Each structure stands twice: as structure tokens, then as C-alpha cells.
Amino acid sequence: MRIGVLALQGAVTEHIDAVTRCGARAVPVKTTAELHEVDGLIIPGGESTTIGRLMVEYGLDQVIKEKAADGLPVFGTCAGLILLAEEIAGHEQPHLRLMKVRAVRNSFGRQRESFETDLSVPVLGERPFRAVFIRAPHIDSVGAGVEVLARVGDRIVFARQGHLMASAFHPELVDDLRIHKLFLEMCSA
Amino acid sequence: MVEQGTFRVKKGLAEMLKGGVIMDVTTPEQAVIAEKAGAVAVMALERVPADIRAAGGVARMADPKVIEEIMEAVTIPVMAKVRIGHFAEAQILEALGVDYIDESEVLTPADEMYHINKDAFKVPFVCGARNLGEALRRIAEGAAMIRTKGEPGTGNVVEAVRHMRTMMTEIRRVVNAPEDELATIAKEMGAPYELVLQVKKAGRLPVVNFSAGGIATPADAALMMQLGADGIFVGSGIFKSENPEARARAVVRATTHFNDPEVLAEVSRGLGEPMAGLDVTTLKEEERMQLRGW
């Protein structure tokens, strides 16, 4: 199994390391040709405006949409969540509109307010997940078929819609591999 | 338990900026141009380094009004500079809510003995370094991101190259040395032993390392990325050039596709005049910003 990590900008190597530690193969993806050779795609954290613009400039957005419609599993973290959302509250920026969720950018504040916390994620079992939120978004509404996987207070920060998954936090910045393993299971299903 | 300002959270933002370009801006309009061109962050300043050089006198933290206007204009992270050792300026920037503080040699140092104790802040710091020892001293003080210094405001990449090559050579030396030589290497470099050991184990700096100080063209950006930079700071290079918009976009694309000469050829075409450059060897010692910091 080959997992692609969209490598336009952001925390690419951290995701590649995490997937590799799970025992799967991870490759950086910068071109449409490389997109055709992967069994799953991770859109990493970074600046969503930057990644979004570059994605459109290189025509990657169309191919990701087509592949996702054909069932390619996609997992977005932080900026990746914003890019996967159907709607971004208050912002016009290029994005994929794949998941029926509405994303709110920088919803916990600026970097000063960024934080880490023990998050309860029932789908992973009882042990909490150490979640790192960096200028993080959240999901303020979800459509039919979207499963909420975790919340901070009343804000949705982790959700899944069939073969698509998005987290507002960064599983690639901690040693706990459970979320990457969950995504790999989705890719082999 | 919710924890803010942990080292992981501070270092994490720099990790999200990797592979990107951070641009110096002096007005909200410039900040919007930078954001539209694909910058991952902007550095809010009153003057770009080339103008600081030209103006002379004491260069200080920018007016909070300028910084706030820039913060309102864009959604990408906003950084701002404080003088080396000037922790009160840093307290002001933290109160304003800037996303990263640059304790920078571009401004006139406030303390010629001590840098800021950066662990005392929730907002992360980026600091300049010319070699591994200097980088590790800054990290020991709490810096969550490093940039090699180069020579700011010159549009001349030669010092940026020198510092990146020095950094990489010294990292390789640490990685290849047997553990029983590390204490002596740490002493020679003036770096904490524990951090030298971390470099050996990880094979790289413990934090993200961008390149700064003299990058003026897409080719310069690609050169620094190929030499091992995690990303690029462009100071005067964008808004002191003939066509800032086109140049900003080109530098962003060159940074993403730093190892694809065809993309580099395409984006380098027809950008107009770059900023005027300075021969670094003509600078007097007191004009060399890179010598500030200890």
C-alpha cells in the first residue's frame, strides 16, 4: 500500500514518518501523475490559503476531486480539514468541497492561544489522544452521513464521512499512531 | 488538561510553515499581496532591511499600530521583530497577539550580553544563527525556530549560502562523531551538551531552520532549499523589486519546486528588475548585521 502526502507546503515529513512507523509506504505527492499512484492521500497541516492556491495552480484539485469521487481515501489535518470542507465560514479561498462540513478558521484564536489537550476519541478506545491544536479550525456544522469522532467542548474537531476524514489537530506531531492506523485501515478496506 | 505555549505547540507552528516563504511587509496592502502570492506568513515591519541600512540610526520594534493593521489585513500568521535582548518589546508583541517573535539582528541590539529568555513567553520565537553553536544557544534560551542569518538587506545570497553550508557541515560533523567526542565538540561550539546529543540522535536541528538574509530571486530560493533549508524568508527582495506581485509568486513556486529546473526556468522568466544588490565585501564591520548576536 502506498500512501501519498500532499507535499506543496507544511508538515509533510512528519506525516511520512508517522505512516512509515505504521509499517506502510509513504511518498510525497507534488504532481497529478504522482496522485494516480497512491492508495490513500493525506493533506497535511500548513497554511490552507497557500496549499489551496498551489493546488489549483497545478491542477491537483481537479484530480483529487475525481479520485476521491472514485473512492480514494483522503485524510486532512488542520489546513487539510479546511481544504476538505464544503464551506469555509467567512472566507473565499480555493478548496476541495469534498466533505459535508462547514469549517471555521483560526477558531481557537491566534498562536498565543494554541494548545494541547487530552482528547476523548471513542473510536480509538478509552485512552485519550494527546491532541495538538495550532491556530486550529473547528467544524461548526455537519451534513448527513458525517460521523463526529471528537469534540473540544461543543466544537467538533474530528469527523469522518465514509472514506474521507478530517482532524482540526495534528496527530503527526505526537508519537501516538492510532489515528494514522485508523486511516490506513480505511485505505485497505 | 489544556496546556498553552508548550514547546511542542511553539515548534509546531514553525513545522506548519515548512516549504513556504515568509515575506517582509510594511503595509496592510503589501501583506495582502504577499498572502495572495502564497506566502505562509508575513513579517510586519516599519522598514525593510535595505531601508534600515539606508536610514542608519537606531532600528527598533515597529509601531504597534502598523503591526495591528497588518494583523487585521490577513489570515496567515503575522510575525514581528524585536531588538536582541529587548524583552519589554517582546512583551508588547505578545500582548498584541503576534504569532511569532523574531529576535532579530536586523534591529539595533538592546543588550550586548544576553538574549531574551524565550521560555518565559507563550508566543514562540525565531532567532538568527550563523552556525550550529549559535543555533543551539538560541534553542537553549527557548527559540522554537531558527533562520540562518545571511546578510540582510543586501540582495546578495553569498552569506546565506555560507551560513547554511556551515550549519549543515557542523550537523554532519556531530552526526558522524562518536559519542565520546561530543562533550569536546559541545565545548568548542559553545553549545549545550544535551542539545548536541539531540542533534546526533535526530540527524538534524531540533527545530525548523529557514534561510534568510539576501534572497532576491526564485533561483536564490531554490538554491537555499537544495542546500537544506526548510523554508525561506524574503526581506527586501520582494517589495524592493520592480514587480513585487510577480516576484512573490515566483519565489513561492520556486520554493515548492526547488528541485525541478523546468519549473524554475518557467517562473524565473520576465520578472523585471530584482532589488539592487550590495557587494558584502564593501560593508564595514559595523554595517554587517550578521555580527550582532552572541
Side-chain angles (χ1 to χ4, degrees):
Chain A
M1 194 162 53
R2 272 164 79 97
I3 303 298
V5 180
L6 190 67
L8 296 175
Q9 189 272 312
V12 177
T13 49
E14 287 77 3
H15 273 296
I16 289 180
D17 288 350
V19 170
T20 309
R21 278 190 289 138
C22 290
R25 204 168 150 213
V27 291
V29 169
K30 285 191 186 188
T31 63
T32 51
E34 286 162 344
L35 261 180
H36 289 292
E37 318 218 312
V38 299
D39 307 301
L41 179 70
I42 295 177
I43 304 179
E47 271 310 308
S48 64
T49 42
T50 309
I51 299 175
R53 279 175 216 287
L54 292 172
M55 215 161 58
V56 172
E57 230 173 288
Y58 306 143
L60 289 160
D61 58 331
Q62 285 312 322
V63 182
I64 294 172
K65 280 188 203 174
E66 285 162 25
K67 301 279 296 177
D70 283 348
L72 178 76
V74 184
F75 174 31
T77 59
C78 194
L81 177 151
I82 297 167
L83 292 165
L84 285 175
E86 171 103 44
E87 193 189 340
I88 304 168
H91 288 284
E92 270 312 313
Q93 62 184 79
H95 59 292
L96 297 165
R97 301 176 193 275
L98 285 170
M99 281 179 79
K100 287 183 191 133
V101 303
R102 191 170 99 123
V104 182
R105 291 188 56 190
N106 299 338
S107 71
F108 295 90
R110 303 192 71 97
Q111 176 62 19
R112 198 175 49 185
E113 285 80 40
S114 292
F115 64 97
E116 48 183 278
T117 188
D118 289 325
L119 192 68
S120 162
V121 188
V123 72
L124 298 179
E126 263 187 34
R127 187 160 53 92
F129 191 90
R130 191 69 182 166
V132 181
F133 292 81
I134 296 172
R135 288 170 46 93
H138 87 281
I139 293 170
D140 75 342
S141 70
V142 299
V146 178
E147 179 190 359
V148 173
L149 300 176
R151 296 175 198 261
V152 169
D154 55 2
R155 297 176 203 203
I156 300 166
V157 294
F158 192 19
R160 183 164 60 176
Q161 175 190 320
H163 59 293
L164 307 170
M165 188 163 77
S167 71
F169 53 94
H170 294 281
E172 76 280 14
L173 296 186
V174 296
D175 290 328
D176 192 336
L177 294 172
R178 285 179 291 164
I179 290 179
H180 283 89
K181 285 182 178 155
L182 180 68
F183 181 61
L184 291 175
E185 280 168 28
M186 289 162 59
C187 296
S188 55
Chain B
M1 198 180 73
V2 173
E3 288 181 275
Q4 290 180 328
T6 62
F7 194 63
R8 183 151 62 186
V9 164
K10 291 176 170 179
K11 186 180 137 175
L13 178 56
E15 277 152 1
M16 299 311 137
L17 303 176
K18 283 193 302 185
V21 182
I22 301 169
M23 299 180 193
D24 278 8
V25 298
T26 57
T27 64
E29 294 73 29
Q30 288 184 355
V32 170
I33 292 174
E35 185 178 47
K36 282 198 175 142
V40 287
V42 291
M43 178 75 70
L45 286 162
E46 248 171 36
R47 295 195 186 104
V48 294
D51 290 336
I52 290 175
R53 255 182 209 292
V58 175
R60 310 178 179 90
M61 175 188 82
D63 186 331
K65 186 168 170 281
V66 173
I67 298 169
E68 278 173 333
E69 284 170 0
I70 290 169
M71 285 167 61
E72 275 164 35
V74 293
T75 60
I76 55 178
V78 175
M79 302 183 164
K81 289 185 193 290
V82 298
R83 286 178 266 177
I84 290 171
H86 207 315
F87 53 84
E89 284 186 347
Q91 289 160 357
I92 292 169
L93 292 187
E94 181 167 63
L96 292 176
V98 304
D99 297 296
Y100 240 95
I101 297 174
D102 185 0
E103 186 182 20
S104 176
E105 66 281 3
V106 167
L107 305 182
T108 312
D111 190 327
E112 294 191 334
M113 289 279 286
Y114 304 106
H115 283 250
I116 296 170
N117 172 18
K118 293 165 273 286
D119 279 328
F121 290 79
K122 270 189 193 170
V123 171
F125 280 72
V126 53
C127 287
R130 288 173 302 161
N131 52 51
L132 182 58
E134 196 174 4
L136 296 180
R137 287 195 293 281
R138 297 294 85 79
I139 295 167
E141 295 155 359
M145 179 178 183
I146 293 294
R147 52 174 175 73
T148 47
K149 286 178 170 174
E151 189 56 50
T154 60
N156 186 339
V157 81
V158 65
E159 295 298 301
V161 168
R162 187 191 318 280
H163 299 158
M164 189 57 72
R165 281 209 184 269
T166 303
M167 189 77 78
M168 293 303 167
T169 304
E170 292 181 350
I171 289 172
R172 281 193 297 270
R173 181 184 170 209
V174 167
V175 170
N176 293 328
E179 242 177 70
D180 53 5
E181 290 177 10
L182 288 189
T184 301
I185 291 177
K187 183 186 135 205
E188 282 171 15
M189 288 181 176
Y193 173 77
E194 286 306 317
L195 289 177
V196 174
L197 191 62
Q198 261 190 51
V199 170
K200 177 167 177 61
K201 285 185 177 152
R204 54 160 298 142
L205 272 182
V207 303
V208 165
N209 180 27
F210 272 45
S211 172
I215 293 144
T217 67
D220 289 348
L223 173 67
M224 297 318 301
M225 292 298 287
Q226 289 187 41
L227 288 174
D230 289 318
I232 301 291
F233 277 94
V234 190
S236 320
I238 303 283
F239 290 100
K240 284 279 148 190
S241 73
E242 191 183 333
N243 187 346
E245 234 162 319
R247 186 163 295 267
R249 288 165 60 93
V251 172
V252 168
R253 287 193 65 179
T255 303
T256 306
H257 292 277
F258 64 88
N259 49 11
D260 185 338
E262 282 181 22
V263 174
L264 299 177
E266 185 199 324
V267 304
S268 300
R269 200 169 286 140
L271 293 177
E273 280 294 308
M275 71 179 281
L278 268 180
D279 180 352
V280 179
T281 57
T282 63
L283 294 177
K284 296 191 203 98
E285 182 149 327
E286 64 270 22
E287 293 171 334
R288 288 161 69 93
M289 292 172 172
Q290 60 171 280
L291 301 180
R292 299 164 169 178
W294 11 93

